[in-house]
Amino acid sequence: MKRKIKYITHAVLLLIIAITTSCLKKGLEDYPLFDTNEITLVNAEYRFNGTETRNGQPVVAYQPLLVTQTVDQTNATINIAISVPAANGQFTAAEKTKVAQTRLWFNVNISTAATIAPTGGTPALGDPTDATKPLKYVVTAANGATRLWTINITSFTNN
C-alpha cells in the first residue's frame, strides 16, 4: 500500500511540474501576417491504374504533363499550354492515347501561409478536372486578403 501511495505521489508531482513549466518565454515578438495571395506555379498530371498491385488492387500511377505558363500578376490570370510527353515505363502508348483535356489533375504553388479554395464550379485541387473551361480559385493570404485567380488552358497537345 505504501508503495502505491509513493507511485501516486510521484506521478502527481511530475504532473504538477509539467503543468507549471513551459519552454516558451513571455514577451516573444509577434511576426507580421503574410499578405501575399498569389499562385506562382501550375502543374498538371494524368493519373491511371499502374501495373503494380497491392492487396489485389492496382496502384495509381501518374504521369507529369509538360506545362508552359504565363503568369499575369496584375490580372490574376495564368495561361498554360499543356502537352503530353512520350510514352515511357508504365505510361504506355495505349495509356497515352487515353489522356484527354477533360480529365486532368492539377496542383499549384501558392504564397507562404496562404490557403486556396475552388470557386465557380471548379473542382478542388487533387480531383479530376475538366480543363476545357477556365479554372477559378480564391487564394487567401494569412492576413485574410483574398484574390480570385483564373487558370486558362490555352492549348492541349497529345501527339
Side-chain angles (χ1 to χ4, degrees):
M1 183 67 167
K2 283 184 179 184
R3 197 175 197 177
K4 210 177 205 184
I5 293 174
K6 187 176 180 181
Y7 284 129
I8 293 172
T9 304
H10 284 251
V12 170
L13 285 174
L14 286 173
L15 183 61
I16 291 171
I17 290 170
I19 291 173
T20 59
T21 61
S22 174
C23 296
L24 295 178
K25 297 179 181 178
K26 291 182 182 179
L28 293 176
E29 81 178 82
D30 287 331
Y31 289 101
L33 293 177
F34 290 98
D35 61 355
T36 53
N37 48 13
E38 299 173 353
I39 295 177
T40 56
L41 180 68
V42 177
N43 292 304
E45 63 187 33
Y46 170 71
R47 296 180 185 175
F48 58 99
N49 288 334
T51 55
E52 185 180 335
T53 60
R54 290 208 180 111
N55 298 323
Q57 298 295 317
V59 175
V60 174
Y62 69 95
Q63 176 61 50
L65 303 176
L66 305 172
V67 176
T68 304
Q69 66 182 14
T70 305
V71 180
D72 180 351
Q73 295 288 345
T74 305
N75 296 311
T77 302
I78 302 174
N79 293 319
I80 64 174
I82 299 173
S83 59
V84 180
N88 62 32
Q90 290 188 74
F91 186 61
T92 63
E95 197 63 51
K96 183 180 182 322
T97 62
K98 297 177 187 176
V99 181
Q101 188 174 348
T102 56
R103 192 164 167 81
L104 302 176
W105 284 257
F106 290 90
N107 60 70
V108 299
N109 289 0
I110 59 175
S111 302
T112 300
T115 60
I116 189 167
T119 189
T122 298
L125 292 166
D127 287 344
T129 302
D130 178 355
T132 60
K133 308 172 203 166
L135 311 175
K136 296 187 180 288
Y137 297 96
V138 175
V139 179
T140 305
N143 71 354
T146 61
R147 191 165 191 202
L148 175 64
W149 282 85
T150 302
I151 300 171
N152 298 306
I153 292 69
T154 57
S155 71
F156 178 81
T157 309
N158 186 2
N159 296 333

